Amino acid sequence: MRDALVIGAGPAGLMAAEALADAGLSVTVAEQKPSVGRKFLMAGKSGLNLTKDESEDAFLNAYNADWLLPALQEFGPVEVMAWAEDLGQSIFTGTSGRVFPKTMKASPLLRAWLSRLASKAVVIETRWRWTGWRGDATVFQTPDGETELEPAVTVLAMGGASWRRLGSDGEWAKQFKSEEISQFKPANMGFVVEWSDHMAAHLGAPLKNIALGADGAKIRGEAVISSKGIEGGGIYAVSAAARDGAALTIDLLPDLTVEEVEKRLRRRRGKDSLSNHMRKNLKLEPVKLALLQEFARPLPERSGELAALVKSLPLPHKGPRPMDEAISTAGGLSVIALDKNLMLRTRPGVFAAGEMLDWEAPTGGYLITGCLATGRWAGIMAARYAARPVRS
């Protein structure tokens, strides 16, 4: 048996390890933290969204990296669902197409997966921090001091640059040339908004039944007003465009057309204030009325202008929240650094997978599926590389 090394024990690394073991290689997984799958477990705290059950075209269009499509086509939603069930985890699909384990947790799936990897003789070493290469040797700082390994093949799966405390610190990028790395950027993150004092009563309030807009896209979702700004699934869905400069807007009444809103605003107002008139006739919740006052005061008296604001309220912000708060990151190992098999062009036999790669996708199951798919692809390609005839 030839030996294989995987660096990083998140979903991408564990999937690569299993693919290598299934190909008959002896596999060691090196993880810098005291335990494995930390970000995976954190993702499962709010319900582990494994994938998205939708058409192949819709699914693949969610990713911004065409060069990863072969891996995603080989291991997409259907395969992820079968994989989870093969690990003894019953799944269900929500009304939005999002797929979850029935337990809604990551820990039962991870335990079953680790048990299966152990049965395949995969060895996991924790508290092993990769410090780079020394010639052909891969170097680690371990509890027992510095250790060097010279495996037949290696898969790098060390994550992106968010959630540093869980292991995704991006420090690995220092081992590569600048031209091999696309700059890290936060992805699926909230935005900084410096609220006025009048919003204090609404901090922590949810924004439901809204649609977020950026760069021509308009997506239904939810958000939360926080002391730091605005965040939540709806914001994350348009965060990439807003991060890159597109104006961010909120449709406060997505079930009504602008004409319908204007018609309701034209109803007899009597002695009501404008706020009370909107509350009664548009059924706007206090937090939505507060947002209108926050960003559009003084409100226009003309019903047409006010209706346009209700349907497309500009949301000025001070940019994304810090990268370490982001759910994921864009940037990482660039397409120019890798061949079609995800092998480093400058280091034959070394492959990369997961969030280390320069790709981006929204939440909703795409992130975990992307990590699983690229991890599996890198593992399979590494195994094929290890099995090639070696010229004397």
Side-chain angles (χ1 to χ4, degrees), residues 130-181:
W130 180 61
T131 58
W133 291 285
R134 184 176 295 141
D136 292 331
T138 307
V139 185
F140 296 92
Q141 285 296 330
T142 79
D144 297 320
E146 188 175 87
T147 297
E148 293 186 5
L149 299 178
E150 293 191 29
V153 288
T154 300
V155 175
L156 307 176
M158 289 176 278
S162 64
W163 292 85
R164 175 176 292 268
R165 66 186 178 87
L166 301 179
S168 296
D169 56 20
E171 291 295 316
W172 55 264
K174 297 175 182 177
Q175 304 297 332
F176 294 87
K177 296 177 181 178
S178 59
E179 57 267 26
E180 296 177 297
I181 300 292

Side-chain angles (χ1 to χ4, degrees), residues 18 21 97 118 121 131 135 140-141 158 272 290 297 317 325 348-349 360:
E18 186 154 26
T131 58
F140 296 92
Q141 285 296 330
M158 289 176 278
D272 283 338
R297 190 170 42 197
H317 57 82
E325 296 178 14
E360 186 174 4

Side-chain angles (χ1 to χ4, degrees), residues 108-130:
L109 188 150
L110 182 59
R111 284 195 299 269
W113 197 5
L114 292 174
S115 177
R116 188 163 77 184
L117 289 171
S119 73
K120 297 178 180 183
V122 172
V123 174
I124 298 177
E125 300 285 0
T126 56
R127 295 187 173 91
W128 279 36
R129 184 174 184 85
W130 180 61

Side-chain angles (χ1 to χ4, degrees), residues 15 23 45 125 128 132 137 151-152 159 194 207 262 289 310 324 327 335 363-364:
M15 186 61 82
K45 284 195 171 182
E125 300 285 0
W128 279 36
E194 296 178 351
L207 278 167
E262 183 178 2
L289 288 169
V310 170
D324 200 46
I327 291 176
V335 60
T363 58

Side-chain angles (χ1 to χ4, degrees), residues 86-97:
D86 194 46
L87 284 168
Q89 304 304 301
S90 298
I91 58 173
F92 73 95
T93 302
T95 54
S96 64

